[in-house]
Amino acid sequence: MKCIFQQTLAAAALLLLSAPASAHFGMVIPSTNIATQETREIGLTLSFSHPFEGIGMDLIKPKEFFVAKDNQSVSLIDQLTQTQVMDHTGWTMSHRIQRPGVYHYVMEPTPYWEPAEDLFIIHYTKTTVAAFGADEGWDAPVGLPTEIVPLVRPYGNYQGNTFSGRVLIDGTPAAGAEVEVEYYSDGATLQSPTDYHITQLVKADDNGIFSFACPLSGWWGFSALSEADYTITGPDKVEKAVELGAVLWIYLDPLP
Ligand SMILES: [Cu+2]
């Protein structure tokens, strides 16, 4: 769906008969998804962006940002500082990992009002960092209102691997969920053959399970969208639908 940023671009692109078809994604990108003694200081960058195209949007301060491990979570929200991501407001911090473990970093954004779609958007956005050889807990749900739980270990993968995950809504598998997929390569801008190639699409099966082969090294974002069972009052004082996103970012390493 197009947001206001894209509408401007779309107007400009109209003469070229090309309208962007990309999606916005919550993004939580760590400096590495495998921490060693040398890389234990994890830089975290939070944004709300169009990853494939490298087009930013402003992300107001998230409602919550936390790290979860072994059913325990610690809020990091007070440590976020404002930064620029893709020329728009984003947030950053550094988290020093002290112990072995599998760490899930989770952003719950403040509801984003999208006038172009007449709804609010909340993308619960997650990424996972394994530290010092620990290998347990990557397949455990964090317990978000909606989330993608990996069925393939989300670190230590090569480009070309097939990723698979299960979409949960309120802890229940989301049969037939649509999952948007975008590639993000920090810095490099890829040319897509057509607008369809910017945001790829895969559907979950009756058990909420989807699979997708990732042909390039870099970050891959998976976003399962659903409609909340509640509304939020819009700027015009009318109740508006809320789009929920279960977003997961994984990294695939280049082939050795
Ligand atoms: Cu957008």
Side-chain angles (χ1 to χ4, degrees):
M1 303 294 275
K2 297 188 196 90
C3 68
I4 45 171
F5 290 93
Q6 287 178 300
Q7 286 192 326
T8 315
L9 288 173
L14 211 60
L15 292 173
L16 305 172
L17 294 177
S18 125
S22 68
H24 20 234
F25 274 66
M27 297 184 74
V28 176
I29 303 294
S31 50
T32 179
N33 69 342
I34 296 178
T36 63
Q37 291 295 338
E38 292 74 40
T39 61
R40 66 196 299 177
E41 194 81 38
I42 307 296
L44 295 148
T45 305
L46 285 59
S47 70
F48 190 45
S49 307
H50 299 259
F52 185 97
E53 298 157 290
I55 297 172
M57 298 190 289
D58 288 326
L59 174 70
I60 62 169
K61 190 167 188 185
K63 187 171 170 194
E64 185 53 276
F65 181 57
F66 63 90
V67 59
K69 175 171 96 76
D70 304 332
N71 293 322
Q72 291 193 312
S73 66
V74 176
S75 177
L76 305 172
I77 189 76
D78 292 336
Q79 297 176 50
L80 290 178
T81 57
Q82 201 173 319
T83 187
Q84 290 287 103
V85 180
M86 302 179 208
D87 299 323
H88 287 79
T89 303
W91 301 84
T92 187
M93 64 167 288
S94 171
H95 183 237
R96 185 175 175 83
I97 293 183
Q98 305 285 7
R99 290 183 199 84
V102 173
Y103 294 80
H104 304 286
Y105 293 95
V106 179
M107 168 173 68
E108 178 185 353
T110 303
Y112 176 88
W113 169 243
E114 178 50 272
E117 297 176 46
D118 198 40
L119 50 67
F120 285 92
I121 299 173
I122 304 174
H123 282 182
Y124 294 90
T125 305
K126 181 172 77 168
T127 196
T128 301
V129 175
F132 313 134
D135 211 10
E136 296 204 353
W138 58 265
D139 55 349
V142 170
L144 303 173
T146 181
E147 70 184 297
I148 293 172
V149 178
L151 294 171
V152 170
R153 198 181 58 177
Y155 46 85
N157 290 308
Y158 295 113
Q159 70 183 83
N161 281 13
T162 296
F163 179 73
S164 183
R166 189 195 299 270
V167 182
L168 298 181
I169 299 175
D170 291 327
T172 303
E178 286 203 340
V179 182
E180 297 181 337
V181 186
E182 283 204 21
Y183 174 70
Y184 173 60
S185 172
D186 193 8
T189 308
L190 298 183
Q191 289 297 321
S192 58
T194 74
D195 287 339
Y196 289 106
H197 294 76
I198 296 172
T199 306
Q200 297 180 276
L201 195 62
V202 59
K203 285 196 77 164
D205 67 11
D206 291 347
N207 296 312
I209 294 173
F210 68 92
S211 296
F212 188 91
C214 304
L216 298 170
S217 63
W219 288 96
W220 286 86
F222 298 89
S223 172
L225 304 177
S226 59
E227 188 175 338
D229 59 5
Y230 58 87
T231 56
I232 297 176
T233 309
D236 57 0
K237 309 293 180 217
V238 177
E239 291 301 302
K240 302 295 183 183
V242 180
E243 175 194 290
L244 299 183
V247 184
L248 173 68
W249 283 95
I250 64 167
Y251 182 79
L252 284 89
D253 292 88
L255 288 171

